[in-house]
Amino acid sequence: MAVRLFEDKDHAAKYLKYRVTPNEVVSEIMGLLKKRMPLPGKLAVDVGCGSGQGTVLLAPYFTQVIGTDISPAQLENAQVNQKCDNVSYRQCPAEELPLESGSVDLVTSMTAAHWFDRPRFLEEAGRVLRGGGCLVLLSYAMDMYLEYGDVTEKLKQVCKEVRTVLHTCI
Ligand SMILES: C[S@@+](CC[C@H](N)C(=O)[O-])C[C@H]1O[C@@H](n2cnc3c(N)ncnc32)[C@H](O)[C@@H]1O
């Protein structure tokens, strides 16, 4: 089930002010992505983009970047925060993206997917991604499991392995 937070204007303003910009992790991810697909790509979508601090970091790597969020207050701040001509924003639930099937090179969700209805979001990400496209989930939530079609057990195993590796790094 999706959880609705971050929605009022005051909360959104504080989020814009205090959210740490995920520069290093995004550039690390782009380094890995370069090995999987030619960059710049055509279209990246940042789902649950909030005030867009992570969304704008994708701009140098794609012709077009779309940030989506359920919260009008967050998106209002994202527009103010916007510094890139190729970045735009849309209000919609993560589980219903207003995008053509197979049209997206990269779907990201930065510290947001733990709030979504994850089975529905993963189906939707799978729908909009082109073959060979990539889904990147950044999260603080270490105990997140992913359910997706008949690969749920495999995904759970991957999540477990990621947690084990992270635990050995700290
Ligand atoms: C913790 S904030 C992360 C914002 C941004 N990605 C960042 O890294 O700063 C989570 C965001 O997810 C959005 N959100 C939560 N549930 C959602 C849903 N079901 N669909 C779309 N956005 C959602 C919230 O409105 C909020 O802006």
Side-chain angles (χ1 to χ4, degrees), residues 142-157:
M142 296 290 281
D143 60 350
M144 186 164 70
Y145 283 117
L146 301 172
E147 292 165 37
Y148 187 75
D150 59 0
V151 291
T152 294
E153 282 314 310
K154 215 172 180 179
L155 281 174
K156 280 187 179 170
Q157 194 53 40

Side-chain angles (χ1 to χ4, degrees), residues 15 46-53 55 68-69 71 74-75 77-78 89:
Y15 201 86
D46 183 30
V47 182
C49 65
S51 39
Q53 287 100 322
T55 319
T68 72
D69 204 283
S71 159
Q74 289 284 359
L75 291 173
N77 284 323
Y89 295 97

Side-chain angles (χ1 to χ4, degrees), residues 2-3 5-6 15 19 48-50 53 69-71 74 92-95 110-112 115-116:
V3 180
L5 289 174
F6 307 96
Y15 201 86
R19 163 74 167 127
C49 65
Q53 287 100 322
D69 204 283
I70 197 93
S71 159
Q74 289 284 359
C92 63
E95 302 81 6
M110 308 191 199
T111 63
W115 300 116
F116 303 162

Side-chain angles (χ1 to χ4, degrees), residues 14-121:
K14 287 195 176 107
Y15 201 86
L16 175 62
K17 191 167 175 191
Y18 297 112
R19 163 74 167 127
V20 176
T21 305
N23 279 304
E24 285 177 22
V25 74
V26 169
S27 84
E28 188 75 20
I29 286 162
M30 289 304 143
L32 291 171
L33 204 65
K34 254 184 217 162
K35 296 177 187 164
R36 290 184 51 111
M37 63 171 74
L39 292 178
K42 279 192 190 145
L43 176 60
V45 178
D46 183 30
V47 182
C49 65
S51 39
Q53 287 100 322
T55 319
V56 293
L57 298 178
L58 303 173
Y61 304 97
F62 293 89
T63 308
Q64 189 189 3
V65 177
I66 300 173
T68 72
D69 204 283
I70 197 93
S71 159
Q74 289 284 359
L75 291 173
E76 225 172 86
N77 284 323
Q79 307 279 3
V80 172
N81 189 34
Q82 180 167 346
K83 298 168 195 91
C84 312
D85 291 342
N86 62 336
V87 178
S88 60
Y89 295 97
R90 295 195 196 161
Q91 192 207 344
C92 63
E95 302 81 6
E96 291 166 42
L97 301 171
L99 298 163
E100 272 178 41
S101 301
S103 64
V104 179
D105 298 302
L106 173 71
V107 173
T108 56
S109 178
M110 308 191 199
T111 63
H114 49 285
W115 300 116
F116 303 162
D117 178 331
R118 282 195 298 280
R120 286 184 59 218
F121 164 64

